Amino acid sequence: MSDPDEFFGRVDHFLEGLLPPDDEPLVAALRDSASAGLPSIQVSPLQGRLLHLFARSIGARRILEIGTLGGYSTIWLGRALPADGQLVTLEINPRHAEVARANLARAGLTDVVEIRLGPALGSLDRMVSDGRTFDLVFIDADKPNGPAYYDRALALAHPGTLILIDNAVRRGEVADPRSTDPNVLSTREALERMGRDPRVDATIIQTVGAKHHDGFALARVRGPDDARNVKAL
Ligand code: SAH
Ligand code: DHB
Ligand code: MG
């Protein structure tokens, strides 16, 4: 195996070929995001499908995304919603939001998606004050705020809510005790918070593929009906 990233990328490409290809709105979203100069850091096509499947599997009607970029993951999540569902996606960069708006319109999702422009923490605190709740929260914005986003996600959750944290592994650096990278340290702090949080059952999964070695965390918010013994895990 020469370059592991290159190898895993080729395997991802093969696996993508086993599934229906991204349709026009998804392809166009990636194309227009790239030509607008947005960084190519969106979820991979296969990861987008996973987000979609998670949302569909729990019958999500209200979805919160932290970090919109050009709206590629937003399209996958928005398409999992019923016609009267709602997705709120938070983005600080007006240029990203503008590109996302056009991409979401082309995907026919304008009626179900609301882009809230501004620092995510402010938008989140307003939604907490308003007593909003969501069935699924996808955390994928600036990493230093990761622990704060995790806390807000819990405040906006109900029993059964799924919380996903992207970029949980960072080429394995999250496990390196010598790392001084603030992105790594805050990501680790978010995972530690989740890992010792009695309110959730959670796991952390490493991934390889079109993107470098990384991973995601998945937490499910517990309710009074959840069997207490599972927590021993
Ligand atoms: N979820 C997207 C990728 C998001 S990339 C996808 O997979 O398609 C991360 C995004 O978070 C970027 O667009 C960046 O501008 C945004 N961001 C960074 N800091 C932020 C903040 N404080 N509040 C809201 N959004 C932020
Ligand atoms: C970066 C951010 C992401 O959310 C991601 O999935 C990949 C890379 C980044 O900031 O480099
Ligand atoms: Mg990410």
Side-chain angles (χ1 to χ4, degrees):
M1 187 162 66
S2 47
D3 172 14
D5 281 350
E6 200 268 333
F7 175 69
F8 292 131
R10 274 190 286 129
V11 175
D12 233 31
H13 195 68
F14 169 81
L15 299 175
E16 272 175 43
L18 300 175
L19 301 170
D22 275 13
D23 64 6
E24 210 279 319
L26 287 163
V27 171
L30 292 180
R31 184 196 60 220
D32 288 3
S33 297
S35 46
L38 270 51
S40 183
I41 55 173
Q42 67 282 337
V43 296
S44 72
L46 294 171
Q47 290 168 342
R49 280 167 204 272
L50 183 65
L51 292 175
H52 179 89
L53 290 168
F54 278 137
R56 289 269 297 281
S57 299
I58 62 166
R61 308 180 71 82
R62 284 166 307 197
I63 296 175
L64 172 62
E65 177 176 69
I66 310 176
T68 315
L69 193 64
Y72 182 75
S73 57
T74 322
I75 294 174
W76 277 113
L77 286 167
R79 285 177 167 182
L81 287 169
D84 62 347
Q86 201 200 7
L87 188 158
V88 177
T89 183
L90 310 180
E91 176 55 56
I92 199 170
N93 186 316
R95 275 205 321 117
H96 296 184
E98 190 187 325
V99 173
R101 208 174 303 285
N103 287 337
L104 290 159
R106 187 167 33 212
L109 291 168
T110 302
D111 290 346
V112 290
V113 175
E114 178 193 345
I115 304 175
R116 290 207 184 178
L117 195 57
L121 221 38
S123 301
L124 290 164
D125 285 337
R126 270 190 296 283
M127 289 190 286
V128 172
S129 304
D130 292 347
R132 302 276 304 255
T133 62
F134 293 91
D135 308 314
L136 185 151
V137 183
F138 178 46
I139 301 176
D140 191 22
D142 52 316
K143 308 313 169 188
N145 277 316
Y149 294 155
Y150 176 76
D151 290 345
R152 300 315 185 278
L154 257 294
L156 293 164
H158 56 73
T161 292
L162 287 188
I163 298 172
L164 282 141
I165 305 176
D166 196 31
N167 312 114
V169 177
R170 307 193 69 88
R171 299 184 192 271
E173 271 192 78
V174 75
D176 180 357
R178 288 159 309 181
S179 177
T180 54
D181 178 341
N183 292 317
V184 171
L185 300 184
S186 52
T187 296
R188 187 187 299 147
E189 167 61 23
L191 298 179
E192 286 170 348
R193 241 175 239 203
M194 179 193 79
R196 60 173 183 253
D197 189 342
R199 298 171 296 177
V200 303
D201 299 305
T203 189
I204 308 164
I205 297 294
Q206 300 186 66
T207 54
V208 295
K211 305 181 81 178
H212 60 245
H213 173 210
D214 208 327
F216 64 91
L218 174 68
R220 178 187 180 277
V221 176
R222 298 170 66 81
D225 297 338
D226 288 311
R228 302 312 300 180
N229 59 2
V230 182
K231 207 55 209 173
L233 286 171

